[in-house]
Amino acid sequence: MKRLLWIIPILAAFCWLDHRLSDGRTAGNRRGSVTRSLARLADGADARILVLGSSTTAELLKPPVIAAATGRTPADVVMGQINGCHHGCTWAEARHLRAAGRRFEAVFVGVNLFQQCEHDHSKRVMQQLMMTPAADLPRLLATWRHAEQPLRTYGRAAGMALSGAYADTRVAQYRLGAGKAFRPPRGRWFAPGTAPPAPTPGCEYGPKTTALKAAFTAGLLETLSALAPRVTLVLLPDRGLAGGEPAQMAQLPAFRALIDRLAAPHPAVEVLDLIAGNPITAAGFRDGIHLTPEAVPGQVAFFHKQMAMRRP
Amino acid sequence: MIFTTPEFVLFAVLVFGAWRLTRGVARKALLLGASYAFYASWNPWFLGLILVSTAIDFGVGQALGRTEDATRRRRLLWLSVGANLGILAVFKYFDFFVASAVAGLQALGIEASAPVLGVVLPVGISFYTFQTMSYTIDIYRRQLEPTPHLLDFALFVAYFPQLVAGPIERARHLLPQIAAVDRGRFDASGFGLIALGVFKKAVIADNVARLVDLTYADPTQTYGWALWIGTYAFAVQIYCDFSGYSDIAVGLSRLLGIDLVQNFEAPYASRGPTELWRRWHISLSTWLRDYLYIPLGGNRAGPTRTQVNLMITMLLGGLWHGAAGNYILWGAFHGGLLAIARPLRPLGDWMDTGPRRRILNPIRRVLFFHVICLGWALFRAESLTDCGTIVSKLLAPEMEWDVFWAGVARGGDQAYLAMVGVCVLAVVGWQIVCPTDSKRITAWLWRRPEPVRFTVVLLLLYAAMILAPEQPPPFIYFQF
C-alpha cells in the first residue's frame, strides 16, 4: 500500500499540468463559444426576443433581421447562438435561462434536417454539462439513456470531470505549439485539382437514430414554452434540399413529421418552414449547410416573406 | 465496445472490481458473463453464433475423448471443422463467393444473377472459430485432453480481452489457466502494456489514419509519391492499431492473472518474408502453420510441393482477412515472397554471419520494409482495380512538387505531416535499429522505480486523452 502513495504527488502534478493546459478549464474554442454566448445573454438582460441554434441560425437570423420581422429594434434581440449547438445544447441553454428567471416575448430556434440525428460527438456532452443547471443534471443523465451508446456519453462526462484538456475541448490543438500536428490535414497536396465538395450532412430518420435528439427536442420545446408565449422553430434549408439530392429529399417527410409531432403538444410553438418554396439553389451554399454571402440577402427576404404570412 | 472508449473503461473497472471479490466458479462465471455482455454490446444476435460454436466444439471434444474408433474420430473432427468453417462461409464469405461466381459467368458472356444474404459480419468471427477449431484438432491429434467443464470451455471461447481481435489462443495454453483461475495473480505490469497499447492506438494509429484515408480515397487522382507517404503511414497505422489492441488484451489479462501469447515481435525488423511471419500476427501465422501448412505436407514433399503448400497457406491466410479480392491478392503476394525466399536461404544465411551482419542487417530491414509496404498497399486498397493503380504508381512514383508544397502551405499541414514523419521514423526506425516490442519495453519499464512507472503510465494515458482524434476510427482488425 505504501508504494501506492507515490501516485498521490504524481496525480497532483498531472492535475496541475491539466489545469495549466486548459487555463483553468476555460481554454478551447468550443468552450469559448459557450461562454461567449452566455456572456451575450447576460449583457442582453433587457432583451425581449431570444434567438437560439447553431451557426446556421447565426448567419441568417441576425438581430436586425429578427427585429425587422417582429417590429422591434436590434437591441431588443439577443443572440444565444453557439457553434455546433444541436438540440441537447439548446435545451441546456434554455434550462440555464429558465433557472436564471429570464422571460422573453418570443424565441426563434433555427433547425436543420441533419440535426435530429444523434451525430455523436464529444463536444455535445461538454456543451450540455457546461450549461445545465445542477438541479437539472438528473434529467440530463436520464435523457442520455436514449443515446445509441449511452455508456459512451456517461464515460465522456467522466472524462470531462477528470480533465479540462480532454480531447473534446481541442485544447491541445489550440494551445500547444505542436497542437496543429494533431489537427486533421486540410490541404490538397496529395492530388491535383480541387477537392470534391463535402457531402451535405444528412440524417437517416429512424427510431434509434433520432431517439436522443427527439428526447432533447421535446424537453427543449417544453422549456421554451415556459420562457416565452411564442416559440418559432425555423426550418432551415441545406444544399441537399436546395439541389434536390434524392437521399436528402427522401428524409424530408420524416423530418417534418417528427418536428410536427414534437411541436403539437405546445400551443406556443409554431413551425416556420424555410425549405418548401425556397428559391435558393445548391450554389447558394459554401458547404453543405452554410450560406454564401451572396445568398444571404435572398434568404433574409424569404424569411421576411414567410414571417409576414404566419398567424398574427 | 472498443477498448479505447470511456464505456469500455467503465466496463473494465466494474469487471476488475468484481473479479477481485470473487473466487472459483463465481469468478469464472463473472468473466464469462462479462465476456458475453462485451460481445453482445456489438449486437446481441451475435451471441447465438458463439453459443452454437461453443456447444458444437464442446460436444465434439467430449465425444472425441470417449472414442478410439479412427473413423468415428475423423467424422467428429469434420463435424467441428465443417460447422466452424460453415459459419464462416455463411456469415463472411457467402456474398463474396456468389458475387465472384456471377462476375465470372458474366465475364464468359453468361447472364447470371444470384441472391445474396446481406448478413452483417459478426465481430471477431474469424478469431474465435479458429480458436475453437484448434481445440478439437488438438484433441483429435491426442495433443490435448478434452476439458470436462463446459464453463471453462465457454470462457476459453468467449474470453473478452482476446475475443474480437486475438491473439488466437491455443487450448493447451489458455484452458489450464482458466481452470486454475484462482491461482492467477494480479500482475500490475499489465497497466504498462495497456497504457502503451492505448497510446499506440489512440495517438499514433488514429492520427495517421487521416492521412491514409486521404491518400487512398481515390488512388487514380493521388500522386505516386503521395501514395508512398500514405503507405508508410498505413504501415505505422496497422502496426500500432493491431499491436496496440494486442497490448491492451495482454495487459488486461495480466491484471486478471492470465497470460496471453505475444502477437507481435518488432515485425518491421524483419529481413525477409520467413522472419516477417515469425514477427507479425504470430498467433495466426503459427495457427496456419500447425493446422494448414503442416497437414498439407509442409516442406516434407519436395521443393515444388513446398512452394505449392506455402502459396495455398498464404492465399487462405489472405482470405481469412476478408472476403475481397485484394486480401487474396495480398495473401498471394506473401505466398510468392515466401516461395522466392526459400531457394535464397543460403544467401540469407551468408549475410547473417560474421561482421557483415551488423552492416547488412539495417540495410536488409529498410529494403524489406519497402517490400512489406507494397503488400500493405494491396491490403489497404478498396478494390482489385485500385490494387493495380496503386502498385503501378508506387513502382513509378511521380509528384508535382510545386502543387504539393502549395497544398501543404494552403492547408497549414506542415506540422501534421511532420508528426506523421516522426511516427514513421519512431515506429519503423526503432524496430530497424533496435528490434524490441511492447512486452520487453514494459518489462524494462517495470524494472524502474515505482514513481517512474506510475509517471510513464499516466503520461501515456493522459496523452491518449488529449491527443486522440475526436472521432476515432475502430480497430482495423475488428472487421476481420
Side-chain angles (χ1 to χ4, degrees), chain A residues 35-58:
Chain A
T35 52
R36 281 192 297 275
S37 178
L38 294 179
R40 280 196 304 272
L41 291 168
D43 288 344
D46 298 327
R48 297 178 179 189
I49 299 175
L50 172 66
V51 180
L52 296 173
S54 66
S55 52
T56 51
T57 300

Side-chain angles (χ1 to χ4, degrees), chain B residues 107-235:
Chain B
L108 293 171
I110 303 167
E111 271 307 309
S113 70
V116 291
L117 296 179
V119 291
V120 173
L121 176 66
V123 175
I125 191 171
S126 304
F127 290 90
Y128 71 74
T129 49
F130 271 39
Q131 189 153 307
T132 57
M133 275 196 288
S134 79
Y135 171 76
T136 50
I137 295 171
D138 282 354
I139 295 174
Y140 174 80
R141 290 176 174 176
R142 302 181 194 276
Q143 291 169 343
L144 179 74
E145 288 298 315
T147 176
H149 306 293
L150 178 58
L151 180 59
D152 289 7
F153 181 72
L155 184 53
F156 162 71
V157 177
Y159 180 56
F160 76 89
Q162 45 91 237
L163 173 60
V164 295
I168 301 170
E169 279 285 338
R170 305 294 180 90
R172 280 172 275 168
H173 184 246
L174 185 54
L175 261 177
Q177 296 185 76
I178 287 172
V181 73
D182 281 346
R183 287 206 287 276
R185 289 180 60 234
F186 167 77
D187 181 355
S189 69
F191 286 119
L193 271 174
I194 291 169
L196 192 56
V198 168
F199 183 84
K200 279 156 100 175
K201 160 63 174 158
V203 178
I204 301 178
D206 288 353
N207 278 301
V208 304
R210 293 152 155 178
L211 186 149
V212 178
D213 291 344
L214 271 182
T215 51
Y216 272 77
D218 187 0
T220 58
Q221 297 294 313
T222 310
Y223 295 121
W225 283 117
L227 274 173
W228 268 114
I229 294 171
T231 307
Y232 287 150
F234 183 65

Side-chain angles (χ1 to χ4, degrees), chain B residues 406-431:
Chain B
V408 169
R410 206 174 301 120
D413 293 338
Q414 298 90 333
Y416 178 80
L417 287 173
M419 181 275 294
V420 173
V422 166
C423 287
V424 171
L425 282 173
V427 171
V428 179
W430 176 265
Q431 292 183 34

Side-chain angles (χ1 to χ4, degrees), chain A residues 18 30 165 170 186-187 190, chain B residues 210 223 411 413 462 466 470:
Chain A
D18 192 79
R30 294 206 172 96
R170 286 204 178 171
R186 295 178 184 173
F190 51 91
Chain B
R210 293 152 155 178
Y223 295 121
D413 293 338
Y462 185 67
I466 66 170
E470 289 172 314

